[in-house]
Amino acid sequence: MLKWILTLVVAIFLLGLVTPHLARFIRFGQLPGDVAFRWRGRVYHFPFVSIIILSLLLWLISRLI
């Protein structure tokens, strides 16, 4: 059990380091079909298409493993 928790912590840490650099190249949240609007001085984002693409990608990876 401790190995799984340690693996999860390391994976989240690495993902946190890589995500800002990866965001420059992959524009998730800015695809056609993603909704962003401003209301009362705040910007709200609803990345519908990005979530669908990401879930399909993760599904394909899980099917290959």
Side-chain angles (χ1 to χ4, degrees):
M1 180 79 171
L2 186 60
K3 288 181 184 179
W4 284 106
I5 292 173
L6 183 61
T7 303
L8 184 63
V9 168
V10 169
I12 291 172
F13 177 74
L14 290 176
L15 187 63
L17 288 176
V18 172
T19 302
H21 302 293
L22 204 57
R24 283 188 241 154
F25 302 109
I26 301 172
R27 294 291 183 187
F28 279 123
Q30 297 177 359
L31 296 174
D34 293 339
V35 179
F37 64 93
R38 180 178 296 269
W39 189 58
R40 293 187 179 180
R42 290 190 170 183
V43 179
Y44 295 95
H45 297 277
F46 296 101
F48 296 117
V49 176
S50 296
I51 295 298
I52 291 171
I53 291 173
L54 186 61
S55 63
L56 286 174
L57 182 67
L58 290 174
W59 178 77
L60 284 173
I61 290 171
S62 70
R63 296 299 292 174
L64 292 174
I65 296 176

